[in-house]
Amino acid sequence: MARRQEVYTAKAKRTVKAEAPEDGAVSAKYKKAKDKGGKTAAGRTAEKEVTKKSAEKKTAARSDSRTKAASPGRRTAVPKAVRVLPAQEKRKAVRRTAAARCAEPDEDKDERRLAAMHRRIQRKEKKEATVFRDRKRAVSRAGDARVTLIALLTLLFEVLGLLLAAVRTEGTVDMQAVMLCAVVAPVGLITSLLLPRVLPIDSLIMALTNFLCGVGLVILYTVAPERGVRQAQFYVAGLVLMIVIGVMVSRMRRFRGITLLAMVLGIMALVLPLAFGEWNNGAKNWVELPVVGSFQPSELVKLSLVLALAYYFSAHRTVFQMMPAILFAAACLVLLMLQRDLGTALIYYLTTLVLFYAACGNVPLTMLGLCGGAGAAVLGYNMFAHVKVRVAMWRNPWSDPLDKGYQIIQALLAIGSGGLFGVGLGQGTPEKIPAYYNDFIFAVICEQMGLVFGLLLLLVYVLLILRGVTVISRSRRSFDMLLGCGVLAMIGIQTFMIVAGVIKMIPLTGVTMPFLSYGGSSLMSCMAMIGILHGISGRAQENLEEDVLTSRV
């Protein structure tokens, strides 16, 4: 410790001796450094003092320049080294704005807050409207190709079929067929492609319906021109009725009044054949009025039945609450049994069971209803003689080939003679079948166009029902779902019953084939049911925006 202190003292003595000699003279080492231009410690200290004084002068000058620049009425450039960056200026502006807003009254703050919220809502609504429009266009484009293809095929079939019917007689041209082609073909094209753009109409359902109606019209004109022209009139009237019902269903919100009115009118319509009708083929289901002409009331009452069942089954879930619709269906079945129109009664009964199961899902009661229907069928077999005849001819039509089994035998021969691709449009002998234009129209189509075309028609029916299921699956209301389900069930059951009866799968029931058979009552009721599907589709479109927003992540 003492040694270290001696070293430190020696160094300090040497430093002091070098910096300030006692005699004031310059040492030889210092003189040598001065001669070479070097600086001593005293020189460096003096230089630092001079630099410090110059820096103080510069700082004073800068402060004076800032004071002059900040003085009003005088603009002086700020040195680049002391300028404020843009980010700093923005932060300062934000702070000043926030301070100013904090100093504002509460009313001004609320107004500014509401204005900002309103702008955000407007931007959100505009964005949602854009998404909704794009989604709607995408859905429309997705279905345009299919609809356009079906519409063009329908147009081609109608034009070629009617023109072929116009020139089939050598040396003459059937101008009636040409005029019919000029009217019917554009109507089908317009209703399939243009009408869905302005009205609540499902384009694919419309295209499939026009195809079926076009095939039936052409086939009927080739075998019976008068009936073909009459069917074209029914087709145009049915399109008008379809549009009216579609718009009504899509716009109406309350159905209680119209349901009660339809139930009353339905009972009155089914009473008319019993009071004014005539027996025909073992049934009394047609009535003729002075202005309207002959029609089948049970075809039009289908709409009343579906509407009543859908309304009461959707609003009430217990059997007791469903009782008004069940009693109405039972009354219709009793009146049809009195008319001996058992085929239509079977359609009514099965449709009621389908809607009952769709509404409540009660399997035991549904099975009980099926057992009750089987018991009613056995009872009808024992009560009505013409039912026994139809069952006997279904089992063995060759037991009476010239009388009771004649038409079913001729239908089977017509289907077999057509083969896979048919004998040709307008060819064959369809007139050998007694009811070729209504009950046995499917046999005529298979004879002229072949089994392949017949299977294609059945595929179109399947596509129509599947498209209807897609439409009603988008419904938000149970009433819409049950209403569409009833329509699809009625069309599907009726189609199966007539086709299965013609090919001898089940006993013949005597109902018409939807959209194809001749008859104003059948075609009008079928077009009205298609109008109900269009109305349900229009009501589902109202919730498309909600679907789009829900699907957004």
Side-chain angles (χ1 to χ4, degrees), residues 136-151 192-193 197 202-205 207 467:
K136 195 172 182 180
R137 289 177 179 175
V139 173
S140 178
R141 286 194 297 269
D144 280 346
R146 296 173 298 174
V147 173
T148 304
L149 178 61
I150 297 173
S192 297
L193 300 181
R197 300 181 182 273
D202 188 86
S203 57
L204 185 56
I205 291 179
R467 180 59 182 176

Side-chain angles (χ1 to χ4, degrees), residues 66 76-86 88-89 92:
R66 289 178 184 176
T76 306
V78 180
K80 186 176 182 179
V82 296
R83 287 182 183 176
V84 182
L85 297 177
Q88 297 176 351
E89 293 178 356
K92 291 180 179 180

Side-chain angles (χ1 to χ4, degrees), residues 37-333:
K39 296 181 181 180
T40 61
R44 287 195 297 271
T45 303
E47 186 178 356
K48 287 181 180 180
E49 293 179 357
V50 173
T51 304
K52 183 177 181 181
K53 290 180 180 179
S54 62
E56 292 177 355
K57 290 181 181 180
K58 290 181 180 180
T59 304
R62 289 172 184 172
S63 61
D64 293 340
S65 62
R66 289 178 184 176
T67 305
K68 293 178 181 180
S71 60
R74 184 171 182 175
R75 300 176 61 186
T76 306
V78 180
K80 186 176 182 179
V82 296
R83 287 182 183 176
V84 182
L85 297 177
Q88 297 176 351
E89 293 178 356
K90 291 181 180 180
R91 286 194 291 270
K92 291 180 179 180
V94 170
R95 294 192 189 98
R96 288 194 297 269
T97 304
R101 289 180 179 177
C102 292
E104 290 179 356
D106 293 338
E107 296 180 357
D108 296 340
K109 290 182 182 179
D110 294 339
E111 291 179 358
R112 294 174 65 87
R113 192 180 296 108
L114 290 175
M117 186 182 300
H118 182 65
R119 288 193 295 270
R120 287 195 300 271
I121 292 174
Q122 284 183 341
R123 289 194 297 268
K124 186 177 180 181
E125 290 178 351
K126 185 177 180 180
K127 187 175 181 180
E128 291 174 356
T130 303
V131 174
F132 174 65
R133 184 180 64 252
D134 295 342
R135 174 64 182 272
K136 195 172 182 180
R137 289 177 179 175
V139 173
S140 178
R141 286 194 297 269
D144 280 346
R146 296 173 298 174
V147 173
T148 304
L149 178 61
I150 297 173
L152 292 178
L153 289 176
T154 304
L155 178 67
L156 183 64
F157 184 84
E158 291 174 349
V159 171
L160 293 180
L162 291 175
L163 291 181
L164 182 63
V167 299
R168 63 180 174 179
T169 303
E170 296 182 1
T172 60
V173 177
D174 188 359
M175 295 305 299
Q176 188 178 31
V178 176
M179 293 177 61
L180 189 63
C181 177
V183 173
V184 173
V187 167
L189 194 64
I190 291 173
T191 53
S192 297
L193 300 181
L194 299 181
L195 200 60
R197 300 181 182 273
V198 295
L199 290 176
I201 289 177
D202 188 86
S203 57
L204 185 56
I205 291 179
M206 190 73 255
L208 294 173
T209 303
N210 283 330
F211 180 79
L212 293 174
C213 293
V215 171
L217 193 150
V218 172
I219 295 297
L220 285 173
Y221 191 86
T222 57
V223 297
E226 297 80 8
R227 289 192 172 92
V229 174
R230 188 66 174 165
Q231 186 77 354
Q233 297 174 358
F234 293 147
Y235 170 60
V236 175
L239 286 175
V240 175
L241 181 62
M242 178 200 71
I243 294 172
V244 172
I245 291 181
V247 173
M248 287 178 59
V249 173
S250 63
R251 299 289 177 83
M252 292 182 65
R253 293 296 178 266
R254 297 182 178 180
F255 290 85
R256 178 179 175 82
I258 193 171
T259 301
L260 296 176
L261 179 62
M263 293 170 66
V264 174
L265 294 179
I267 296 296
M268 294 175 60
L270 290 179
V271 172
L272 288 178
L274 296 175
F276 306 102
E278 295 181 358
W279 294 100
N280 186 15
N281 294 328
K284 193 178 183 181
N285 53 358
W286 285 85
V287 64
E288 186 170 356
L289 298 179
V291 179
V292 180
S294 61
F295 72 101
Q296 191 174 358
S298 60
E299 291 289 340
L300 303 179
V301 179
K302 291 177 181 178
L303 304 177
S304 301
L305 178 68
V306 171
L307 184 61
L309 293 175
Y311 178 77
Y312 283 100
F313 285 3
S314 63
H316 311 287
R317 295 301 182 185
T318 64
V319 177
F320 180 76
Q321 292 173 335
M322 295 178 179
M323 197 55 65
I326 296 176
L327 292 178
F328 174 71
C332 293
L333 290 175

Side-chain angles (χ1 to χ4, degrees), residues 157 208-220 231 436-442 445 453-454 457-458 461 495 498-499 512-519 522-523 526:
F157 184 84
L208 294 173
T209 303
N210 283 330
F211 180 79
L212 293 174
C213 293
V215 171
L217 193 150
V218 172
I219 295 297
L220 285 173
Q231 186 77 354
Y436 66 92
Y437 52 87
N438 46 23
D439 293 358
F440 289 90
I441 188 68
F442 184 72
I445 293 173
F453 192 83
L457 282 181
L458 297 181
Y461 279 104
T495 303
I498 186 60
V499 173
T512 58
M513 193 165 184
F515 308 107
L516 294 176
S517 297
Y518 171 75
S522 176
L523 186 58
C526 291

Side-chain angles (χ1 to χ4, degrees), residues 337 349 368-383:
M337 293 290 286
Y349 188 76
L368 183 62
L370 288 175
C371 294
V378 174
L379 181 63
Y381 175 80
N382 294 321
M383 288 179 59

